């Protein structure tokens, strides 16, 4: 008996951008009833590869075989017609419509599968008549998955699906994926979290610099081998908590409350104290008020109630510049990374000048010192750049991050606020960032670390503040906390609130 | 065994293109634009080569013609510098036309009603009042934008018409020259005209030429080497970052718009006190709008703006010659400018993307 051909087979798939080869003759296959993890650092070609499969990019060379037959995918519409369902990291749903309406939207002809049937067979809990804006992140994700399933997708590609989920939600997702596997669907899951790779996949393909450096069976490998494949060298994976004497209270936030322009509550009654020599983690589902909290402390937004004290002096209501002068430094990385804090169209020295250019007297902008500082920073932090005059937007995410954090640290802050500093970064670069934060802590700086990865929060931070729907649901000592506890606290208050309305 | 499945061309992004290559692309685009204009001329039954030759002659053939072309370049380049400052901040100031005209109005007030002042003081007052009045005019949309987030494009555009009708009002009413037969403002007295300098090659040109050249250099230095120039660039590229870094964003927007409009106003003063010598509602004559194209074609470069303004002036002057010689309407100049704009902006696409065909797998 000949085995059936793989659901997706890539042969020599190649894509070049200018002089760089994003995907270099990649061979890869996924069989039915199998979950393949696609593992790789940032810039290893994962996204380019999936974009070719979903019809966003056209390959420069090579071919795609679906169930053994050559296929040309010219557009996302082609992709779905051929049974390829892509779940992007950023959801593409219409907020004001219900789940059912989103599933039907843009569909020509009848659905291949009724939403109710798909829900039942994969054990997903979604209210089809709920509006998207009422949904949590994981529900939205479920709708995205339903959408492609109902349109007949039997080959699913999920791009970093767990990045925005709590541990409990991740488990639900994995259960659903497992059922799909049993139904004979082919699933590709893109991730750089090794634990998840080990937990869910049957095989792993590792990409490094656009090349498939190896495909292994998950059962026959371990995290260390995979890391080495991915990074190209063995790497210490343990995030350490540095020892440092606890200093005086630097930042005191009490009863902070803020609303957005539409009057929606962003944070409510947030209180905590941050001391020198500690790293305080902030955990929470995306959109729980992390952004508002950071922006208020940095003076970018005004609270509607409550206060922020630095060294016993009130700083809320001061301008960002005055707050910077008092030694509060914020390295805030929004999703698009260059959104706030850096200017993509400028080079490294000009970006370093942002907070210090006014310290020199006169009207002339003095770039010399910044150039020297940039040169030192490039060497010290091993920033990969063709030169100092290259625009920041041309650097990779990890290097951009190093510039941002490097600049904030070079200002000699007393309080350092950093949000998602390792988002989208590879393991090696992430480790550098954690080391930088630990170093600051040992210098007596108070670090507020808004993070996503609970494992990292637990091992790096001294204490963790858990935000849930804008409120502090817990402040725990990391030594005594568990992932499950954090997960519950992250969603905990939401159920309380629902109870109130029942 | 790999047969390409698809030979359809597709668009791919390019990396960095070297500046020299980029300018070569753009120059090539201008050539294609002229060729396209030539086809258009040929379709009207003219010999495009002869028409272009006469255009070139008309613009640069004699010292006198060169002088006229230079005189056209001065206000256009000056207005472009003003527009450029705002554009650098991504503040779409489409109001240069009105700011230009308002500068001329301010200058005309002193020229017509305070002519007894010592000439040096008079000229200085005319210039200063032009800058200030136009600058304040520019602050209006800037203030509304910083305060209420209004759309500056529409706002500045609409303000143009107000200024043009103010001039009409002044001409028909309070500033009407009683000596004149039909409604017009008085001609400037001699002492209110810009002094002229003698250039050996092209003859007398008003002092605005020096002011304009100086302004090109100053704007270049300002944007590149001063803190304020740096702030403009940061606010333009990423306002959130600017706020985060503690920049007083509102103040920067207001200040820059004041400068932008002020420079346009000075251009207007130089035009009315230079070649025009009389305030008319055609003082700006569309230059404020042309300046937008100039700045865009010059990719927000001050020196580039000067070059493009000169090129446009050559076309404009040349086309008036074309009109007399071939009886082709001078609006051909506008058509040509449009075609050039189209092709050069089209070239920008090819600087960012290239079109490729799928190729075989390299062995």
């Amino acid at each position: 008996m000949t085995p059936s051909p793989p659901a997706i087979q890539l042969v020599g798939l190649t894509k070049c951008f200018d002089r760089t080869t994003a995907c270099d003759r990649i061979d890869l296959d996924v069989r039915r009833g199998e979950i393949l993890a696609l593992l790789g650092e940032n810039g290893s070609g994962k996204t380019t590869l999936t974009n070719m499969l979903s019809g966003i990019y056209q390959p420069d060379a090579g071919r795609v075989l679906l169930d053994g037959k050559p296929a040309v995918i010219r557009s996302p519409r082609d992709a779905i017609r051929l049974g390829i369902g892509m779940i992007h990291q950023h959801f593409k749903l219409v907020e004001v419509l219900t789940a059912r309406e989103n599933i039907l939207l843009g569909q020509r002809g009848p659905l291949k599968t009724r939403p109710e049937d798909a829900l039942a067979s994969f054990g997903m809990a979604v209210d089809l008549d709920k509006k998207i804006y009422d949904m949590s992140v994981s529900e939205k994700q479920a709708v995205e998955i339903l959408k492609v399933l109902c349109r007949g997708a039997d080959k699913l590609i999920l791009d970093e699906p767990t990045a925005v989920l709590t541990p409990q939600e991740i488990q639900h997702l994995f259960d659903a994926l497992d059922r799909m596997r049993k139904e004979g669907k082919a699933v590709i899951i893109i991730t750089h979290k090794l634990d998840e790779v080990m937990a869910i996949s049957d095989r792993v393909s590792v990409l490094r610099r656009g090349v498939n450096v190896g495909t292994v069976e998950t059962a026959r490998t371990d995290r260390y081998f995979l890391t080495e494949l991915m990074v190209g060298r063995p790497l210490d994976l343990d995030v350490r908590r540095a020892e440092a004497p606890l200093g005086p209270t630097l930042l005191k936030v009490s009863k902070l409350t803020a609303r957005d322009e539409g009057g929606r509550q962003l944070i409510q009654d947030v209180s905590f104290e941050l001391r020198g020599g500690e790293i305080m983690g902030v955990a929470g589902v995306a959109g729980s008020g992390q952004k508002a909290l950071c922006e208020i402390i940095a003076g970018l937004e005004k609270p509607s109630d409550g206060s922020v004290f630095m060294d016993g002096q009130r700083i809320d209501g001061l301008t960002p510049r005055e707050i910077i002068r008092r030694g509060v430094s914020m390295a805030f990385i929004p999703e698009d990374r260059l959104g706030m804090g850096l200017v993509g169209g400028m080079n490294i020295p000009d970006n370093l000048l942002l907070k210090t250019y006014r310290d020199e007297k006169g009207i002339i902008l003095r770039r010399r010192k910044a150039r020297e500082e940039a040169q030192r920073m490039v060497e010290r932090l091993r920033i990969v750049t063709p030169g100092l005059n290259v625009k920041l937007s041309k650097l990779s995410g990890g290097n951009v991050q190093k510039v941002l954090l490097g600049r904030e640290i070079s200002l000699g802050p007393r309080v350092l606020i950093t949000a998602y500093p390792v988002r989208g970064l590879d393991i090696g670069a992430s480790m550098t960032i954690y080391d930088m934060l630990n170093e600051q802590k040992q210098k007596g700086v108070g670090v507020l670390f808004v993070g996503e990865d609970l494992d990292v929060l637990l091992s790096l931070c001294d204490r963790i503040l858990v935000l849930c729907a804008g409120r502090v649901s817990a402040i725990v000592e990391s030594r005594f906390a568990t992932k499950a506890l954090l997960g519950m606290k992250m969603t905990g208050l939401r159920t309380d609130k629902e109870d109130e309305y029942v | 065994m790999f047969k390409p499945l698809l030979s359809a061309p597709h668009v791919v992004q390019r990396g960095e293109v070297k500046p020299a290559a980029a300018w070569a692309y753009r120059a090539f685009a201008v050539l294609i634009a002229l060729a396209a204009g030539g086809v258009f001329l040929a379709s009207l039954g003219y010999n495009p080569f002869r028409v272009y030759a006469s255009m070139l002659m008309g613009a640069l053939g004699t010292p006198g013609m060169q002088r006229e072309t230079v005189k056209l370049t001065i206000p256009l380049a000056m207005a472009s510098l003003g527009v450029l400052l705002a554009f650098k901040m991504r503040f779409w100031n489409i109001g240069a036309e009105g700011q230009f005209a308002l500068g001329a109005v301010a200058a005309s007030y002193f020229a017509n009603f305070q002519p007894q002042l010592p000439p040096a003081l008079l000229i200085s007052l005319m210039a200063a009042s032009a800058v200030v009045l136009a600058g304040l005019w520019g602050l209006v949309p800037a203030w509304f934008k910083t305060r209420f987030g209004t759309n500056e494009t529409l706002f500045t555009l609409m303000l143009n018409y107000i200024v043009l009708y103010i001039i009409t009002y002044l001409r028909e009413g309070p500033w009407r020259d009683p000596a004149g037969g039909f409604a017009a403002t008085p001609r400037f007295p001699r002492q209110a005209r810009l002094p002229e300098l003698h250039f050996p090659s092209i003859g007398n040109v008003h002092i605005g030429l020096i002011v304009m050249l100086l302004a090109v250099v100053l704007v270049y230095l300002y944007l590149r080497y001063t803190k304020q120039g740096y702030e403009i660039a940061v606010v333009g590229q990423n306002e959130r970052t600017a706020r985060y870094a503690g920049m007083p964003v509102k103040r920067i927007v207001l200040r820059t718009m004041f400068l932008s409009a002020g420079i346009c106003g000075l251009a207007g003063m130089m035009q009315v006190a230079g070649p025009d010598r009389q305030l008319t509602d055609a003082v700006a004559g569309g230059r404020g709008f042309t300046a937008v194209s100039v700045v865009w074609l010059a990719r927000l470069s001050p020196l580039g703006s000067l070059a493009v303004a000169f090129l446009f002036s050559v076309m404009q002057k040349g086309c008036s010659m074309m009109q007399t010689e071939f009886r082709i309407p001078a609006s051909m100049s506008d058509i040509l400018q449009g075609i050039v704009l189209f092709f050069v902006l089209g070239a920008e696409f090819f600087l960012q993307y290239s079109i490729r065909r799928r190729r075989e797998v390299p062995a």
Side-chain angles (χ1 to χ4, degrees), chain A residues 52-96:
Chain A
M52 284 191 280
L53 275 176
S54 55
I56 293 168
Y57 291 154
Q58 298 302 313
D60 291 331
R63 51 201 216 149
V64 180
L65 300 161
L66 300 178
D67 296 312
K69 288 189 286 284
V72 178
I73 310 161
R74 283 195 196 83
S75 66
R77 192 173 277 281
D78 268 4
I80 190 73
R81 192 174 47 78
L82 293 164
I84 298 175
M86 179 84 200
I87 316 296
H88 294 275
Q89 239 174 318
H90 300 287
F91 305 136
K92 297 169 187 338
L93 296 169
V94 182
E95 292 273 323
V96 295

Side-chain angles (χ1 to χ4, degrees), chain A residues 258-359:
Chain A
R259 293 187 177 79
D260 68 6
E261 282 154 8
R264 208 168 55 90
Q265 195 97 355
L266 294 172
I267 52 173
Q268 190 173 0
D269 285 335
V270 171
S271 303
F272 66 92
E273 288 185 10
L274 177 68
R275 299 177 65 173
E278 76 165 338
I279 299 182
M280 162 104 96
V282 177
V285 181
S288 301
Q290 297 96 324
K291 184 166 170 275
L293 179 62
C294 294
E295 294 193 358
I296 289 171
I297 298 174
L300 292 169
E301 298 294 337
K302 303 272 170 273
S304 52
D305 211 352
S307 58
V308 183
F309 286 85
M310 171 84 188
D311 290 331
Q313 286 183 317
R314 192 159 178 179
I315 60 166
D316 57 288
L318 297 184
T319 64
R321 177 153 173 71
E322 287 166 320
I323 293 174
I324 292 166
R325 274 212 196 108
R326 283 163 201 252
V328 178
S329 212
M330 182 168 87
F332 186 89
I333 324 288
E335 282 89 37
D336 52 356
R337 219 172 268 138
L338 292 167
M340 196 168 77
L342 296 169
V343 182
M346 291 185 170
N347 59 26
I348 301 178
D350 276 8
N351 269 287
L352 295 189
L353 277 168
L354 266 173
K355 283 185 171 174
T356 48
Y357 74 100
R358 270 175 304 192
D359 297 345

Side-chain angles (χ1 to χ4, degrees), chain A residues 11 15-16 18 25 58-63 72 74 291 295 300-301 320-321 324 330 338-343 345-346 350 353-355 357-358 360-365 367 394 407-408, chain B residues 1-3 5-6 8 10-16 18 223-228 230-231 233-234 237-238 240-248 251-252 356-363:
Chain A
V11 185
K15 177 79 188 171
C16 309
D18 191 34
R25 286 165 280 170
Q58 298 302 313
D60 291 331
R63 51 201 216 149
V72 178
R74 283 195 196 83
K291 184 166 170 275
E295 294 193 358
L300 292 169
E301 298 294 337
R321 177 153 173 71
I324 292 166
M330 182 168 87
L338 292 167
M340 196 168 77
L342 296 169
V343 182
M346 291 185 170
D350 276 8
L353 277 168
L354 266 173
K355 283 185 171 174
Y357 74 100
R358 270 175 304 192
E360 300 264 357
K361 287 207 181 81
I363 58 162
I364 302 298
L365 185 71
R367 288 192 169 86
K394 301 272 174 197
R407 180 187 71 204
E408 297 307 312
Chain B
M1 70 169 277
F2 295 125
K3 286 217 70 172
L5 291 163
L6 183 73
H10 56 278
V11 174
V12 296
Q13 236 179 344
R14 276 184 182 219
E16 198 95 14
K18 290 207 181 75
L223 288 174
R224 205 177 164 86
Y225 294 109
T226 69
K227 291 178 181 177
Q228 296 193 356
Y230 174 73
E231 288 174 337
V234 174
Q237 289 194 42
N238 194 332
R240 283 173 59 77
T241 293
R243 293 210 311 125
Y244 154 92
M247 287 185 182
R251 205 166 78 206
I252 294 167
R356 266 197 233 158
R357 285 175 176 277
R358 186 184 283 214
R359 54 180 161 70
E360 302 263 343
V361 184

Side-chain angles (χ1 to χ4, degrees), chain A residues 36-230:
Chain A
L36 177 81
L38 197 55
L39 189 64
E41 300 201 288
N42 243 34
S44 61
K46 289 174 299 185
T47 309
T48 307
L49 188 69
T50 49
N51 278 342
M52 284 191 280
L53 275 176
S54 55
I56 293 168
Y57 291 154
Q58 298 302 313
D60 291 331
R63 51 201 216 149
V64 180
L65 300 161
L66 300 178
D67 296 312
K69 288 189 286 284
V72 178
I73 310 161
R74 283 195 196 83
S75 66
R77 192 173 277 281
D78 268 4
I80 190 73
R81 192 174 47 78
L82 293 164
I84 298 175
M86 179 84 200
I87 316 296
H88 294 275
Q89 239 174 318
H90 300 287
F91 305 136
K92 297 169 187 338
L93 296 169
V94 182
E95 292 273 323
V96 295
L97 298 182
T98 63
R100 190 189 304 276
E101 285 163 342
N102 266 285
I103 290 167
L104 286 165
L105 200 67
Q107 170 71 13
R108 291 178 189 169
L111 292 170
K112 298 268 169 34
T113 312
R114 285 180 53 230
E116 288 81 359
D117 298 343
L119 274 178
S121 40
F122 301 111
M124 292 190 289
V126 176
D127 179 356
L128 287 170
D129 297 311
K130 199 168 168 184
K131 304 255 194 216
I132 301 297
Y133 59 73
D134 281 331
M135 291 187 170
S136 70
V137 180
S138 72
E139 285 176 295
K140 288 181 190 172
Q141 185 180 58
V143 176
E144 284 280 11
I145 296 174
L146 265 185
K147 196 164 80 180
V148 299
L149 287 176
C150 291
R151 290 177 186 185
D154 54 0
K155 302 173 263 295
L156 278 91
I157 305 168
L158 298 101
D159 188 6
E160 305 256 355
T162 61
V164 290
L165 303 182
T166 63
Q168 285 83 355
E169 289 168 342
I170 291 173
Q171 198 49 55
H172 284 306
L173 173 68
F174 282 2
D175 290 344
L177 290 181
D178 192 41
R179 292 207 192 193
M180 289 175 205
R181 164 163 56 192
K182 292 199 176 105
E183 284 241 331
K185 296 195 186 295
V187 179
I188 299 179
I189 172 168
I190 299 168
T191 180
H192 53 243
K193 293 186 189 164
L194 291 165
D195 296 334
E196 292 169 1
V197 171
M198 302 306 293
I200 185 78
S201 68
D202 299 295
R203 287 188 303 148
V204 195
S205 285
V206 183
L207 296 189
R208 187 168 79 224
R209 291 193 195 136
V211 178
N212 183 354
V213 289
T215 301
V216 290
E217 283 186 34
T218 311
R220 296 193 183 172
T221 186
D222 60 33
R223 296 169 62 210
Y224 298 94
F225 180 74
L226 288 177
T227 311
E228 204 175 324
L229 257 188
M230 182 162 74

Side-chain angles (χ1 to χ4, degrees), chain B residues 174-241:
Chain B
W175 287 13
R176 181 170 176 162
D177 183 5
F182 51 92
T185 61
R187 294 183 63 78
F188 280 18
R190 180 159 297 281
Q191 64 273 26
R193 298 178 191 168
L194 283 183
E196 298 199 335
L197 296 173
H198 184 76
F199 296 88
S201 51
I202 56 171
N204 287 349
V205 179
H206 63 86
I207 199 162
L209 174 61
I210 303 297
V211 176
M212 181 271 283
L213 291 175
L214 211 62
V216 170
V217 176
L218 285 177
V219 168
Y220 171 81
L221 294 176
Y222 177 71
L223 288 174
R224 205 177 164 86
Y225 294 109
T226 69
K227 291 178 181 177
Q228 296 193 356
Y230 174 73
E231 288 174 337
I232 290 173
V234 174
V235 170
Q237 289 194 42
N238 194 332
E239 197 189 312
R240 283 173 59 77
T241 293

